[in-house]
Amino acid sequence: MSSMLKVEDLHAFIGQFHILHGVNLGITTGSIAVILGRNGAGKTTTLRSIMGLVPKLEGSITFDGKELIGLTPEIIARLGIGYVPEDQAVFSSLTVAENLRLVARNKEARAREEMVLELFPDLKVAWTKKGKALSGGQKQMLAIGRALINPNRLLLIDEPSKGLAPVVIEKVIQAVSKLKDHTTVILVEQNYLVASHLGESYHLLDNGRTVHTGTMEELRQNDDLRKRYLAVG
Ligand SMILES: Nc1ncnc2c1ncn2[C@@H]1O[C@H](COP(=O)(O)OP(=O)(O)O)[C@@H](O)[C@H]1O
Ligand SMILES: [Mg+2]
């Protein structure tokens, strides 16, 4: 199995702070890989580093064999990597339709709109509603849908379950699980239940470094590991 994205011994520096101290990831095409770890472990910084949003990096990040370190966020996005940040940021005064069309890079996006609405029927119902009128779950689906409007082959999704009620989290799980037919996904989660439903493999971060990697089944069977790093039974 070949890795679509490979992160090797990644170090990230923000100002005077050395934030990442050796992150390693390998993501197989067509799968969902989960990055787990406590608050402050370096999950968001890892995604931001992949997108070229952290100015000082050492180590290596390759996408289809191409080195990403040193490229601008715009170029990285155009290679086919979509980023869904953790705050469900949608434009509050624009409708669902406008939010989607604003990010479309080419005409092909109209055809992809159909695909997005099939994946997220909730967005079809809310098509003419403004961002500020959407529920938390609808905002999250719009944020993910926006990243699918362009032909991205890899999506980085940061804590899609954050701040959502359990019934809504259930919907987000269903939505993300359907993404696999369309794209490869790296999912950051603090919620182990969400992670274990969706992920096939896991990468556990602690203090800015990768401390464990394996299949989700291995994590399910490793009570010690879950207790030590995730504070869940
Ligand atoms: N812009 C920044 N300036 C200084 N420290 C930062 C900055 N961004 C993140 N950090 C620190 O880096 C560490 C990792 O943060 P982050 O990647 O957001 O963790 P996570 O997403 O796993 O909660 C934390 O200790 C955080 O305080
Ligand atoms: Mg984070």
Side-chain angles (χ1 to χ4, degrees), residues 1-5 26-33 154 184-185 201:
M1 281 190 291
S2 65
S3 286
M4 169 187 257
L5 185 92
I27 316 298
T28 311
T29 306
S31 72
I32 299 182
L154 174 65
T184 304
V185 178
S201 63

Side-chain angles (χ1 to χ4, degrees), residues 2-22:
S2 65
S3 286
M4 169 187 257
L5 185 92
K6 205 168 200 172
V7 175
E8 288 166 293
D9 196 24
L10 180 67
H11 289 244
F13 305 82
I14 302 178
Q16 62 186 323
F17 302 105
H18 188 168
I19 309 271
L20 300 182
H21 303 260

Side-chain angles (χ1 to χ4, degrees), residues 14-15 17 19-20 37-46 86 158-159 188 190 205:
I14 302 178
F17 302 105
I19 309 271
L20 300 182
R38 281 188 284 246
N39 209 2
K43 304 182 298 297
T44 296
T45 304
T46 298
E86 67 187 318
D158 202 348
E159 294 205 48
V188 161
Q190 275 203 70
L205 300 195

Side-chain angles (χ1 to χ4, degrees), residues 115-134:
M115 184 268 285
V116 168
L117 294 181
E118 259 168 51
L119 268 174
F120 307 120
D122 280 33
L123 293 183
K124 206 170 194 165
V125 177
W127 190 240
T128 57
K129 273 198 189 174
K130 292 202 166 156
K132 61 188 160 209
L134 301 179

